[in-house]
Amino acid sequence: MSRTLTMAPLISLLTIALLTTPAISSVDTFVYGGCSQVKYTPGSPYESNVNSLLTSLVNSATFTIYNNFTIKSPTSEDTLYGLFQCRGDLSNGDCASCVARAVSQLGTLCLDSTGGALQLDGCFVKYDNTTFLGVEDKTEVLKKCGPLIAYDSDELNRRDAVMDYLATSDGSSKPFRIGGSGDISAVAQCVQDLSASECQDCLSEVVGRLKTYCGAAASGDMYLAKCYVRFSKAGAHSHGGNVDHDENDEVEKTLAILVGLIAGVALLIVFLAFLRKACGKGKCDK
């Protein structure tokens, strides 16, 4: 079993992305997910640790918006690390609901995988058998821009000022930040296992990249492994511009097919088990 899994190869192995509005939107909106290609053996101690960890994340989300856990094992390769992070403006109830949904989707997308990560609009969940807790990681996970707009220096200056504000420390070390100016709004967040200085470094990096990548776009989203920034002009969405509509349609179809196939296989296994049990009792036709 591989003991190494970082966000970069994790996302390159399997990434599914679907963004709607770049500012605050539905808590359960799917953003991205990634899984390790390395599988654990069903019924193994590792599976037990995964189940224990994910259960702990869901339970903990009922009273806090961030927590991390380490599940110790006699063998280092079976030791497991995980965390969840909810958006800073969510209530405990919304946070718990989001984390429960993320864990459920992660269990489907990353079935028997030794590591996985999933980001919904309202929360982030990750687990791995190599520790990533407290490790700064500015790997680019996802980026997307909305439609280009007519160049307006005042509007662009206000947009840049809002993002610069989010990336500037006010001495409070807030991991979740929102800002706005006129019809421009933005939101930023760091995963709370980062120190205050690491959070500032991450947000400064993502703001610089987002300005360059999205140029004069009406909206933009950029996620690094440990922080993200999203901005939008009122009424703008992350569709058009650099976004391929057909690609998004194919992503939705692929996700639906994947979930359907997994559900179909599960039903077939249940049916075959029932049939075998019935035959064992002599109820099959001779």
Side-chain angles (χ1 to χ4, degrees):
M1 181 188 301
S2 171
R3 294 176 56 194
T4 302
L5 176 66
T6 61
M7 182 61 74
L10 183 152
I11 297 303
S12 66
L13 295 176
L14 170 61
T15 300
I16 302 175
L18 181 61
L19 289 178
T20 52
T21 55
I24 297 175
S25 58
S26 171
V27 170
D28 292 337
T29 299
F30 185 87
V31 179
Y32 68 80
C35 315
S36 167
Q37 286 188 326
V38 180
K39 302 289 186 178
Y40 59 78
T41 303
S44 65
Y46 197 87
E47 180 180 39
S48 177
N49 287 348
V50 170
N51 292 336
S52 177
L53 173 70
L54 296 181
T55 298
S56 295
L57 296 181
V58 173
N59 291 340
S60 181
T62 61
F63 57 85
T64 182
I65 63 169
Y66 166 79
N67 210 345
N68 68 76
F69 294 87
T70 299
I71 306 296
K72 297 285 189 179
S73 286
T75 58
S76 58
E77 66 177 9
D78 287 332
T79 295
L80 194 63
Y81 309 89
L83 62 75
F84 74 89
Q85 166 88 62
C86 285
R87 206 172 64 204
D89 62 335
L90 295 190
S91 66
N92 287 343
D94 287 339
C95 177
S97 175
C98 185
V99 172
R101 185 172 180 83
V103 166
S104 176
Q105 292 188 19
L106 193 58
T108 300
L109 290 175
C110 299
L111 185 65
D112 298 340
S113 292
T114 57
L118 190 139
Q119 174 80 58
L120 300 183
D121 186 85
C123 60
F124 173 68
V125 172
K126 181 178 179 180
Y127 71 94
D128 191 6
N129 63 342
T130 298
T131 184
F132 55 89
L133 302 176
V135 178
E136 186 175 11
D137 186 351
K138 292 183 283 187
T139 302
E140 192 173 283
V141 178
L142 185 113
K143 58 186 177 184
K144 187 168 288 192
C145 306
L148 298 179
I149 57 178
Y151 184 82
D152 183 326
S153 60
D154 178 62
E155 193 167 77
L156 291 178
N157 286 337
R158 284 190 293 111
R159 181 203 69 181
D160 289 351
V162 170
M163 287 200 288
D164 288 341
Y165 166 76
L166 296 180
T168 301
S169 174
D170 62 359
S172 62
S173 304
K174 296 177 182 177
F176 176 75
R177 307 169 189 186
I178 56 175
S181 177
D183 59 355
I184 303 294
S185 61
V187 59
Q189 187 164 26
C190 295
V191 180
Q192 286 181 232
D193 64 330
L194 296 183
S195 67
S197 61
E198 289 171 336
C199 178
Q200 287 305 131
D201 186 41
C202 191
L203 290 179
S204 295
E205 180 72 21
V206 72
V207 164
R209 295 190 198 182
L210 191 54
K211 287 180 184 178
T212 300
Y213 181 69
C214 287
S219 61
D221 311 270
M222 183 167 288
Y223 286 77
L224 305 186
K226 285 294 182 78
C227 69
Y228 68 84
V229 172
R230 314 176 74 183
F231 76 87
S232 68
K233 179 181 178 182
H237 298 266
S238 289
H239 295 298
N242 295 327
V243 180
D244 186 334
H245 290 278
D246 293 334
E247 181 180 345
N248 275 343
D249 290 341
E250 289 303 314
V251 164
E252 295 182 46
K253 291 177 184 177
T254 300
L255 180 58
I257 291 171
L258 176 62
V259 173
L261 285 174
I262 293 174
V265 170
L267 288 174
L268 179 60
I269 291 173
V270 171
F271 173 74
L272 291 176
F274 173 79
L275 187 62
R276 182 178 180 183
K277 184 177 181 180
C279 289
K281 293 182 178 180
K283 295 181 180 181
C284 293
D285 293 334
K286 301 292 185 181

